Amino acid sequence: MATDDKNSPPEEWKQQTEPLAPSTPTDTATLSSEGLKPEIMEREVWSNKLDFLLACIGFSVGLGNVWRFPFLCYRNGGGAFLIPYFIAVILGGIPAFFLEVSLGQFMSEGGTGTWKICPLFQGIGYACAIIVFLLNCEYNIILTWAFHYLFSSFTSVLPWSHCENDWNTETCRVDHRQLGKGHQGNDTLYNVSVVVNGSLGGAAASTVSSVAANVSWVTSKVAENVSKQISDPVTEYWERKVLGLSSGIDEPGNIKWDLCLCLLLAWIVVYFCIWKGIRSSGKVMYFTATSPYILMFILLIRGLTLEGASEGLKFYLIPDWSRLLDTQVWVDAGTQIFFSYSIALGTLTALGSYNRFNHNSLRDAVLFGLVNSFTSILAGLVIFSILGFMAVRQGVSVAEVAESGPGLAFIAYPEAVSQMPIAPFWSCLFFIMVILLGLDSQFVGVEGFITFVVDLYPHVFRKGFRREILIGVVCVTCFLVGLSMVTEGGMYVFQLFDYYSASRIVLVVAFFECVVVSYIYGTNRFQDNLEMMFGFRVNPVMKYMWMIFTPIFTMTIFIMGAITYSELSYDRKFITYEYPRWSIMIGWTLALCSVVCIPIVFVFRLYQQEGDLAQRFRAATMPTLKKHQVRAGEDLRRINLTNGCTSGTADDFPDFPDGAFISVKDFNNRESEIV
């Protein structure tokens, strides 16, 4: 070779003018000693393109769209809330969603395997796995309650529609809101009479006025106390029959065996939905992800035909533009997007990892955003048309019956359907919808955690029926944790998990995801990887979203949320329960046990390397890629190459100079020499 050409590649490895052709990765099977069959099964892929989109919709579009978005929209300015909501969709939702699913698709691994693009930050994968595990333990409790209400709806008269059950108290009244208004009205009349009597003159008038003021104050307090003592059958059914609620988290009480059996049923259903992997769960999704929309449209048609529906929709949609000046409105919009899009839970990367290498996940990200927002708005129409009917029926404002969270699904809505003709039918329809919305979110969440474990130890769990056994062990473990939430004090434990386990920590994880891809792995490199997969260049707007707008947006929402942070409390009908200090500390432990994995793995990866700090950092941030993931023009000295059992660094490929274009054939030739 001539001296002036010493830095040029050999003729047979000359630079290519075109990028690598997309290829579909497969795991290399290790043959058994007899050489007859593979010991390690190949990684699954979705049977068709629609399976992936339905899985994403099924997991992310769930109960939060039904019971959180409508209330946030009403509370934060009605139609005006849609402005910060859609800004959050553009700046945070779609870019973060696309980043996660495309990363999973590119690496063909979930969990920590996704972050082989930067091993120094593989703690992100561990953090996401812990978050989704805690959510899996908690989320199935909602399905437990829904199963309980569904079974209780198979009757001619709903048990929460009257006060003649053995769990009802003497203060239970069906017309509790009218009674409360009656006391206020009597008090007003009394004050009017005092004003009239105050027409007396001189000292007599002064004496009467003084006595009247005292009597008025006493009467108002008596009326207030009487009103507070009046209970309703729906709340009593929820707290006394379903939950058997104790006085606090420090009094767990006994296990509610009816709830325990419903919890067991929920986990059995989840297990059999996913035990055969994504090929079976993908088919289940065709039913669980689509049928809730049919039920929602049926409930919407029914709601719009009820008296007072228009009043409810006014509360829901009429804009209050002044609310846009409130920072809490923007915080609510941002957190709602990240929760409803299921960002930073690790499940989206797991779902994306089952895509074929050249699948167009950008198109799916946009379609998902449209479906998610449509579902939220549709659910709001369903809920507030019914709440408007209930408000008019009881002669109160919609604001008095509007609730969020479990209070909407298990108090407000059951109370509304109990006043409809054929109430049991509408109750069954509603709770079937709740179960279907929650079920696919639950079993896809479990699938995400299973993917994390299997991809972490593929040589262990991709053999025989070990994956099915692993799923069973995970389900049993989550069931045992869930038993703490079906005791008499279980609601307090549930609130603790719900408030702290994911909370705003997902915003921190999403921030790290954007920073790692943008500034350590490199957005230009990732843009090249996307072009390898899709066959076209992704619009550079997405690159700038990941580099600038999405990380700034996530940290801004996190900081604003931290400023307005308040410790957990549980608002019951008559009292607000304040959690003891020790339970708050447990909650913070749940919150931090996930995100703390990022710095722990960071330090550990640096410790594993050799050299000074700069050398350790460069070595720990070097991506580990397979041959089909190497872009044209890649400097082999800046990556670790691996393919099944074969791996190597640039030292193993000395004939490839910096900046040389390589092909899959070139890699295979050199790989055979390494072996």
Side-chain angles (χ1 to χ4, degrees), residues 67 138 140-151 238 242-243 259 262-263 406 410 431 435 485-486 490-491 494-495:
W67 71 25
E138 161 211 333
N140 231 11
I141 301 300
I142 302 172
L143 294 183
T144 299
W145 297 333
F147 274 121
H148 190 289
Y149 271 81
L150 176 63
F151 297 148
W238 170 240
V242 178
L243 301 179
L259 288 182
C262 290
L263 178 62
F410 301 108
F431 286 109
I435 290 171
M485 302 179 214
V486 294
M491 185 60 172
F494 172 83
Q495 294 281 348

Side-chain angles (χ1 to χ4, degrees), residues 506-522:
V506 296
L507 296 169
V508 178
V509 178
F511 171 80
F512 277 108
E513 290 179 346
C514 292
V515 169
V516 170
V517 172
S518 299
Y519 298 103
I520 299 180
Y521 183 74

Side-chain angles (χ1 to χ4, degrees), residues 351-662:
L351 295 178
S353 70
Y354 294 115
N355 280 332
R356 299 184 187 279
F357 191 68
N358 57 356
H359 178 77
N360 187 354
S361 51
L362 175 61
R363 175 195 57 208
D364 289 341
V366 175
L367 289 175
F368 170 84
L370 294 174
V371 172
N372 195 311
S373 299
F374 168 75
T375 306
S376 297
I377 296 172
L378 174 63
L381 297 175
V382 173
I383 296 300
F384 273 87
S385 63
I386 300 296
L387 294 182
F389 158 74
M390 186 169 72
V392 170
R393 188 75 174 265
Q394 298 184 359
V396 297
S397 168
V398 177
E400 295 184 44
V401 297
E403 295 195 48
S404 178
L408 173 64
F410 301 108
I411 296 179
Y413 206 94
E415 183 177 3
V417 298
S418 68
Q419 300 172 28
M420 295 182 187
I422 326 176
F425 171 76
W426 297 110
S427 179
C428 288
L429 211 61
F430 174 74
F431 286 109
I432 289 174
M433 182 190 74
V434 169
I435 290 171
L436 292 176
L437 280 171
L439 182 60
D440 45 12
S441 298
Q442 178 65 29
F443 70 69
V444 176
V446 176
E447 179 66 52
F449 182 78
I450 295 298
T451 300
F452 160 78
V453 178
V454 172
D455 286 346
L456 193 60
Y457 304 105
H459 290 77
V460 176
F461 293 109
R462 285 193 194 149
K463 296 180 180 179
F465 294 97
R466 293 185 184 181
R467 191 180 189 278
E468 288 86 340
I469 295 173
L470 173 64
I471 296 173
V473 170
V474 170
C475 289
V476 170
T477 303
C478 292
F479 169 76
L480 294 176
V481 175
L483 287 179
S484 65
M485 302 179 214
V486 294
T487 61
E488 293 172 347
M491 185 60 172
Y492 304 105
V493 180
F494 172 83
Q495 294 281 348
L496 200 66
F497 269 73
D498 186 58
Y499 194 75
Y500 287 103
S501 60
S503 63
R504 296 181 179 92
I505 294 297
V506 296
L507 296 169
V508 178
V509 178
F511 171 80
F512 277 108
E513 290 179 346
C514 292
V515 169
V516 170
V517 172
S518 299
Y519 298 103
I520 299 180
Y521 183 74
T523 48
N524 289 331
R525 174 190 271 174
F526 192 57
Q527 284 276 87
D528 293 341
N529 298 149
L530 294 178
E531 185 176 2
M532 290 167 55
M533 291 194 296
F534 303 153
F536 61 87
R537 193 78 175 173
V538 175
N539 194 298
V541 171
M542 191 65 72
K543 177 176 71 173
Y544 295 116
M545 287 291 181
W546 294 332
M547 293 178 63
I548 304 171
F549 298 106
T550 303
I552 291 177
F553 176 77
T554 54
M555 284 311 296
T556 301
I557 296 299
F558 175 77
I559 293 171
M560 292 169 64
I563 293 173
T564 59
Y565 165 79
S566 60
E567 290 187 348
L568 173 63
S569 61
Y570 176 34
D571 294 324
R572 298 175 58 184
K573 186 175 180 66
F574 302 123
I575 62 172
T576 297
Y577 175 75
E578 301 293 341
Y579 278 73
R581 175 59 54 183
W582 63 266
S583 64
I584 298 296
M585 297 305 296
I586 293 176
W588 276 109
T589 302
L590 292 173
L592 296 177
C593 69
S594 57
V595 74
V596 75
C597 293
I598 298 177
I600 289 176
V601 174
F602 184 96
V603 173
F604 179 72
R605 292 299 187 207
L606 287 179
Y607 173 77
Q608 284 183 311
Q609 306 305 321
E610 298 178 353
D612 58 29
L613 185 60
Q615 292 172 329
R616 289 170 183 260
F617 184 83
R618 282 195 297 271
T621 55
M622 188 179 294
T624 300
L625 303 176
K626 297 179 181 179
K627 61 181 181 182
H628 68 279
Q629 296 164 336
V630 180
R631 63 175 176 167
E634 186 67 78
D635 183 355
L636 294 183
R637 292 183 298 184
R638 297 183 180 181
I639 63 174
N640 292 314
L641 293 170
T642 181
N643 187 43
C645 299
T646 304
S647 63
T649 63
D651 295 335
D652 301 311
F653 297 85
D655 297 314
F656 284 112
D658 293 353
F661 289 88
I662 64 172

Side-chain angles (χ1 to χ4, degrees), residues 144-201:
T144 299
W145 297 333
F147 274 121
H148 190 289
Y149 271 81
L150 176 63
F151 297 148
S152 299
S153 300
F154 291 110
T155 179
S156 57
V157 179
L158 295 176
W160 56 83
S161 63
H162 59 86
C163 296
E164 300 173 2
N165 303 290
D166 54 7
W167 59 80
N168 292 126
T169 64
E170 295 179 356
T171 58
C172 178
R173 297 290 185 276
V174 175
D175 55 347
H176 58 104
R177 288 195 174 90
Q178 287 87 338
L179 290 175
K181 287 186 64 180
H183 286 295
Q184 295 172 0
N186 292 337
D187 189 43
T188 303
L189 290 174
Y190 180 83
N191 289 332
V192 172
S193 68
V194 170
V195 173
V196 174
N197 292 335
S199 60
L200 295 174

Side-chain angles (χ1 to χ4, degrees), residues 72-115:
L72 290 179
C73 194
Y74 146 71
R75 189 180 70 181
N76 292 316
F81 180 70
L82 296 179
I83 294 177
Y85 173 82
F86 281 112
I87 290 177
V89 168
I90 295 172
L91 294 182
I94 292 179
F97 179 91
F98 176 56
L99 176 64
E100 291 198 1
V101 297
S102 59
L103 266 178
Q105 178 175 323
F106 175 65
M107 296 301 294
S108 298
E109 290 187 63
T112 58
T114 304
W115 297 101

Side-chain angles (χ1 to χ4, degrees), residues 181-405:
K181 287 186 64 180
H183 286 295
Q184 295 172 0
N186 292 337
D187 189 43
T188 303
L189 290 174
Y190 180 83
N191 289 332
V192 172
S193 68
V194 170
V195 173
V196 174
N197 292 335
S199 60
L200 295 174
S206 177
T207 302
V208 171
S209 177
S210 177
V211 172
N214 291 330
V215 173
S216 175
W217 181 84
V218 172
T219 305
S220 66
K221 291 299 180 183
V222 170
E224 181 181 345
N225 290 333
V226 170
S227 178
K228 284 184 177 180
Q229 291 175 356
I230 297 174
S231 183
D232 64 276
V234 181
T235 301
E236 289 197 351
Y237 181 81
W238 170 240
E239 292 190 352
R240 296 173 62 86
K241 172 61 177 175
V242 178
L243 301 179
L245 203 58
S246 68
S247 59
I249 194 172
D250 50 356
E251 295 184 14
N254 299 319
I255 291 177
K256 294 277 296 176
W257 290 106
D258 51 349
L259 288 182
C260 179
L261 293 175
C262 290
L263 178 62
L264 178 62
L265 172 63
W267 277 113
I268 291 174
V269 172
V270 168
Y271 177 80
F272 283 107
C273 284
I274 65 172
W275 74 311
K276 288 299 183 183
I278 61 166
R279 291 186 183 274
S280 61
S281 61
K283 298 300 180 286
V284 174
M285 215 75 65
Y286 280 87
F287 174 73
T288 58
T290 58
S291 55
Y293 291 94
I294 300 174
L295 299 178
M296 272 194 277
F297 275 111
I298 294 174
L299 291 171
L300 176 61
I301 294 171
R302 177 55 180 151
L304 293 177
T305 61
L306 295 172
E307 178 188 5
S310 59
E311 295 300 316
L313 296 181
K314 287 178 183 177
F315 265 79
Y316 174 49
L317 294 175
I318 291 181
D320 178 5
W321 303 110
S322 64
R323 295 287 292 147
L324 295 179
L325 300 177
D326 187 351
T327 56
Q328 186 60 41
V329 173
W330 296 85
V331 172
D332 286 344
T335 53
Q336 171 62 18
I337 287 300
F338 273 80
F339 291 148
S340 65
Y341 277 57
S342 304
I343 304 297
L345 301 182
T347 303
L348 294 180
T349 56
L351 295 178
S353 70
Y354 294 115
N355 280 332
R356 299 184 187 279
F357 191 68
N358 57 356
H359 178 77
N360 187 354
S361 51
L362 175 61
R363 175 195 57 208
D364 289 341
V366 175
L367 289 175
F368 170 84
L370 294 174
V371 172
N372 195 311
S373 299
F374 168 75
T375 306
S376 297
I377 296 172
L378 174 63
L381 297 175
V382 173
I383 296 300
F384 273 87
S385 63
I386 300 296
L387 294 182
F389 158 74
M390 186 169 72
V392 170
R393 188 75 174 265
Q394 298 184 359
V396 297
S397 168
V398 177
E400 295 184 44
V401 297
E403 295 195 48
S404 178

